[in-house]
Amino acid sequence: MILTVESTLTDVFLPLFTIDWEQRKLGEMASFAKGNGYTKADLSTEGKPIILYGRLYTDYETVFSSIDTRSGQKPGSLLSKGGEVVVPASGETADEIARASVVMPDGIILGGDLNVITPNQAINPVFLAIELSSGNLHKVLASKAQGKSVVHLHNSDLQTLDVVFPSLDEQSQIGLCFEEFDALITLHQRKLFIIAYIK
């Protein structure tokens, strides 16, 4: 299905695009896997870099380009190939669970309670992570979270999402804008930390 979409993102940050956006089920655009076999107790000062689902809450970034947590590798571990989008499989609230990050490096252990999405060549992973974490798709994703004290999301929930996307070039430019915002936010957070530490 082809849709004409006026994007707030492109209106604000980029020249106006006139190319139609396309809508498809995420299940048609990606393959899915599940992280497994690791908890906080497995973390150590040595071994391979690892991402656990809690990292998405405590140190949220749109793109993980470097990982500072490590663990020994277990048999059957799921390792990143670069460009995977990870979404928490469990969390305390529906709103916090409906977020996504991109794992850029390869060889990263993807730990338990992570839904792992590998988009095909038509979808830029950074753009996909942004779309899952914001706007209408974020609300839809949050509405699929089930549970009371702990809420859960499954890959089967992700596969049914209607993803709206422009050309790869436009996706890349939108993704680049948000990566630059992330870097700016991180810089200001570090400055605030230094100021607070000095006081």
Side-chain angles (χ1 to χ4, degrees):
M1 177 189 299
I2 302 295
L3 300 174
T4 302
V5 175
E6 271 189 47
S7 169
T8 302
L9 293 174
T10 53
D11 287 348
V12 174
F13 302 116
L14 306 169
L16 182 63
F17 287 86
T18 58
I19 300 173
D20 289 343
W21 287 40
E22 186 174 350
Q23 176 178 299
R24 292 178 66 181
K25 295 289 185 187
L26 184 55
E28 301 171 9
M29 307 295 293
S31 60
F32 298 81
K34 185 86 184 301
N36 60 73
Y38 292 85
T39 66
K40 284 183 179 179
D42 295 307
L43 298 181
S44 67
T45 56
E46 299 180 350
K48 296 184 72 67
I50 182 172
I51 295 177
L52 298 176
Y53 81 99
R55 176 73 181 265
L56 274 66
Y57 303 130
T58 59
D59 192 14
Y60 176 65
E61 301 171 331
T62 303
V63 178
F64 284 115
S65 54
S66 62
I67 313 297
D68 58 12
T69 47
R70 294 184 172 273
S71 176
Q73 184 177 344
K74 300 179 182 180
S77 298
L78 180 62
L79 300 179
S80 67
K81 295 180 180 177
E84 289 90 348
V85 176
V86 291
V87 177
S90 62
E92 293 184 359
T93 68
D95 191 58
E96 76 174 8
I97 200 175
R99 62 174 64 196
S101 296
V102 181
V103 182
M104 280 304 186
D106 63 359
I108 306 298
I109 299 172
L110 302 176
D113 262 0
L114 285 178
N115 294 309
V116 182
I117 308 168
T118 303
N120 68 17
Q121 294 181 347
I123 295 289
N124 178 290
V126 178
F127 174 84
L128 177 60
I130 292 165
E131 190 165 19
L132 291 173
S133 300
S134 60
N136 185 61
L137 200 53
H138 171 80
K139 295 176 185 175
V140 173
L141 189 57
S143 73
K144 292 180 179 290
Q146 300 175 355
K148 293 184 179 178
S149 58
V150 177
V151 294
H152 301 278
L153 273 175
H154 305 283
N155 278 323
S156 56
D157 300 315
L158 297 167
Q159 291 169 4
T160 62
L161 294 173
D162 290 316
V163 177
V164 181
F165 56 97
S167 68
L168 267 175
D169 179 59
E170 188 172 347
Q171 291 177 49
S172 297
Q173 291 187 58
I174 292 171
L176 182 60
C177 281
F178 275 83
E179 286 187 74
E180 290 175 352
F181 283 143
D182 271 356
L184 188 60
I185 290 168
T186 300
L187 176 63
H188 284 286
Q189 285 174 335
R190 287 174 182 166
K191 287 181 178 179
L192 289 172
F193 176 80
I194 291 170
I195 292 169
Y197 181 78
I198 293 171
K199 288 183 178 179

